[in-house]
Amino acid sequence: MKIPVYEIASVLEDVKTRMISEDQEKLDWCISQLLSNLSEPVIPPQLLLKSPSLTKEAVSQIEQHSNLLLIRQAKNDEEASKQLINNRMVKYTPLNIKQEINLPICNIDINDFYLDIFELAQEFGGVMIMCMYAQKIFAYWDLFLKMGIDLQDFLRYSKYIGEGYKPNIYHNVLHGAFVMQACHIFLLSSNLVELAEMTPLHTTSLLLSAMVHDYKHPGLNNTYLYLTNEKLAIRYNDISILENYHVAKAFQVAQKENLNIFSNISKEEYRTLRKLMINAILGTDMTKHSKYVTDAQMKLTKNTNFIEEKEFLISLLMHLGDLSNSCRNEKLSDEWSFRVCEEFFIQGDKERSNDMIVNPLMDRYKVNIAKSQVGFIGAVLIPFLNPICKSIKGMEFLLENAQSNKEGWGRRVEEFEDKMVNKGNIYERGFS
Ligand SMILES: [Zn+2]
């Protein structure tokens, strides 16, 4: 039986909680080494066990087709992939809590909404991307100076957060960095910092929320955790389980020595920042989506006084950032769509093998990916974008891109119908 690396890593994470802190650091290093050398297929182990609902052929099809980009490359082009992994291992050293971090010199344009994060990740690795994006974005808004944030504490914090994102297909460190950049672009193109009179504290709360908003995400949703009685569901009383977990853990990290990015702000500022971040991150729970749509219609289209609404705007932009993959160009939008579907399908596989009811949106045997994306963009994203893009000048391009991506998926519905698993022909992602 093959066990995915992330499963081993999560067992080690568990062991770590029962160790003394000196040993914890050593084990952290081992986990980082393990995750930086992803060479095992990420297949839920139960799929590889005998399951009455899965034929051997289906298992081998899933094994062949449902891997991460890097793993697929590793299979197709082993030599190049080994080289890539070796290079990254030379460049990448896990966080030592007292370490001085030097970012690579790289001329990336953080203001480019179409910047290809996947290409950059090939060169620098995901954790380094998180650090580079964070540093450039916070420097752009002059937050190191205005918030008194020590650059080295901030880089260590970013790296620690980056390392805590699990290597899920979708909810990984690149998602955190990508959403943070989306929020940066929203502020940039809307001029809301000026229009809503946002202080550096407000800007920090939005960008930092985006950076940490899925920290330690397990790749399974709240419903699954609730139905399986997972310890996180117990800890957070079934209420916004993951979102509570992400924000609580992110604040815990900042309490560690040499990672306290809040050390130079007053207690009052810290309390305000906490309140804004907790609201924004808890607001990423999709059960709150329709409330956002109604609130956006009520508060933005009927009231153009953004100053009064700045706290609402922070949560709104955070939620928009989280949903905005399909507002990018076709290449980035498609890549994230495939990834989110695959992560859902892995949960669906887990549900099937645990004899649970398989969520229809997560059933790889029933979902037409193109149709699901048309549905998501048309029924979830565009109704949310409409009031925002109508009321905030400079945001219109988000709606135009979403519409164009929806049309693009619409043209591919038949193609994906033919490629569906239940037609005996699992879909091809067509990674290049
Ligand atoms: Zn997210």
Side-chain angles (χ1 to χ4, degrees):
M1 186 177 79
K2 294 168 187 166
I3 299 176
V5 169
Y6 75 86
E7 290 279 359
I8 300 171
S10 75
V11 172
L12 292 177
E13 285 280 357
D14 219 43
V15 172
K16 202 175 77 184
T17 61
R18 293 186 283 279
M19 297 171 95
I20 57 163
S21 67
E22 199 180 309
D23 288 339
Q24 279 183 346
E25 278 183 28
K26 289 177 193 156
L27 194 58
D28 261 339
W29 183 85
C30 296
I31 295 168
S32 305
Q33 286 296 302
L34 196 64
L35 296 179
S36 66
N37 189 15
L38 275 175
S39 58
E40 293 289 317
V42 180
I43 305 289
Q46 61 276 15
L47 277 185
L48 301 165
L49 299 171
K50 281 176 191 147
S51 163
S53 58
L54 286 170
T55 63
K56 259 189 183 170
E57 197 189 343
V59 171
S60 88
Q61 275 195 333
I62 292 165
E63 187 176 19
Q64 199 185 338
H65 291 274
S66 66
N67 296 331
L68 278 165
L69 172 61
L70 278 177
I71 294 156
R72 298 191 82 200
Q73 281 178 337
K75 280 187 171 176
N76 296 340
D77 191 354
E78 216 177 326
E79 277 313 300
S81 175
K82 267 183 194 161
Q83 194 58 43
L84 186 73
I85 289 165
N86 285 342
N87 287 347
R88 189 167 307 152
M89 287 177 77
V90 172
K91 275 187 208 158
Y92 185 77
T93 44
L95 179 68
N96 170 329
I97 219 85
K98 296 177 192 94
Q99 159 192 10
E100 178 120 335
I101 297 174
N102 294 308
L103 296 179
I105 297 162
C106 173
N107 220 1
I108 58 172
D109 181 5
I110 203 66
N111 299 343
D112 176 7
F113 195 46
Y114 309 113
L115 188 64
D116 194 326
I117 196 167
F118 298 106
E119 266 177 27
L120 289 171
Q122 294 273 326
E123 196 180 338
F124 299 104
V127 175
M128 199 46 86
I129 289 294
M130 171 67 95
C131 297
M132 289 158 74
Y133 271 40
Q135 186 272 331
K136 282 182 188 296
I137 291 170
F138 274 64
Y140 180 91
W141 297 103
D142 208 7
L143 298 176
F144 295 112
L145 197 68
K146 290 180 176 162
M147 295 290 290
I149 303 172
D150 177 84
L151 177 64
Q152 278 304 321
D153 285 350
F154 181 78
L155 291 178
R156 278 188 290 264
Y157 180 82
S158 306
K159 194 169 180 186
Y160 197 101
I161 292 290
E163 287 176 354
Y165 270 89
K166 301 195 176 188
N168 301 309
I169 290 180
Y170 181 83
H171 287 106
N172 53 42
V173 63
L174 293 185
H175 171 65
F178 198 67
V179 172
M180 173 171 54
Q181 195 223 3
C183 292
H184 162 67
I185 301 279
F186 300 158
L187 291 178
L188 200 63
S189 49
S190 66
N191 199 25
L192 272 176
V193 174
E194 237 173 79
L195 294 176
E197 294 183 4
M198 287 188 183
T199 65
L201 195 79
H202 294 114
T203 318
T204 302
S205 71
L206 172 62
L207 298 170
L208 204 56
S209 294
M211 174 177 162
V212 305
H213 83 279
D214 274 325
Y215 178 58
K216 285 182 165 286
H217 196 295
L220 300 160
N221 70 4
N222 282 336
T223 311
Y224 184 92
L225 300 177
Y226 160 71
L227 289 173
T228 53
N229 223 9
E230 286 279 336
K231 62 180 177 197
L232 283 182
I234 303 297
R235 187 191 298 171
Y236 296 111
N237 302 315
D238 302 333
I239 301 163
S240 298
I241 304 163
L242 285 170
E243 294 73 20
N244 270 304
Y245 178 49
H246 305 315
V247 68
K249 283 283 165 190
F251 274 103
Q252 270 178 20
V253 174
Q255 289 185 323
K256 291 179 191 287
E257 206 191 334
N258 295 319
L259 300 178
N260 187 357
I261 53 175
F262 308 123
S263 59
N264 288 324
I265 58 172
S266 69
K267 280 180 184 158
E268 290 74 24
E269 284 176 313
Y270 177 71
R271 276 196 290 271
T272 309
L273 187 75
R274 248 178 87 69
K275 188 178 134 212
L276 291 169
M277 285 182 64
I278 292 169
N279 276 343
I281 296 174
L282 293 186
T284 60
D285 182 342
M286 273 310 281
T287 59
K288 298 179 181 161
H289 177 71
S290 51
K291 171 114 175 57
Y292 271 118
V293 178
T294 348
D295 283 357
Q297 280 159 351
M298 292 292 293
K299 294 185 179 186
L300 298 182
T301 52
K302 290 181 187 158
N303 177 6
T304 45
N305 185 352
F306 294 132
I307 300 168
E308 285 173 11
E309 297 298 347
K310 60 176 156 262
E311 294 192 4
F312 167 67
L313 283 166
I314 289 167
S315 296
L316 180 95
L317 295 184
M318 169 71 253
H319 181 53
L320 178 62
D322 204 19
L323 296 187
S324 66
N325 295 331
S326 299
C327 299
R328 304 264 186 161
N329 62 20
E330 191 183 1
K331 183 171 183 274
L332 292 169
S333 161
D334 282 7
E335 176 68 29
W336 286 113
S337 294
F338 283 124
R339 283 172 179 261
V340 78
C341 286
E342 183 56 27
E343 193 169 301
F344 284 171
F345 293 160
I346 290 173
Q347 179 175 321
D349 295 337
K350 244 177 144 87
E351 289 168 347
R352 190 178 301 103
S353 62
N354 287 344
D355 286 331
M356 295 160 68
I357 295 169
V358 180
N359 181 328
L361 297 173
M362 299 185 173
D363 191 337
R364 69 168 78 243
Y365 294 90
K366 290 184 182 150
V367 172
N368 174 319
I369 291 176
K371 219 188 255 180
S372 78
Q373 293 309 296
V374 171
F376 171 77
I377 300 172
V380 178
L381 183 58
I382 289 181
F384 184 42
L385 284 169
N386 272 329
I388 297 173
C389 299
K390 216 157 103 186
S391 345
I392 308 175
K393 272 199 188 123
M395 303 281 266
E396 303 83 356
F397 67 102
L398 300 173
L399 189 57
E400 287 159 21
N401 289 349
Q403 266 153 350
S404 150
N405 284 316
K406 180 176 164 241
E407 285 159 21
W409 282 115
R411 288 189 291 272
R412 299 177 74 183
V413 169
E414 266 184 49
E415 174 197 332
F416 277 87
E417 197 65 26
D418 292 339
K419 287 175 176 170
M420 276 169 65
V421 181
N422 62 359
K423 299 270 168 74
N425 195 1
I426 201 160
Y427 72 86
E428 252 307 338
R429 291 190 43 171
F431 277 134
S432 55

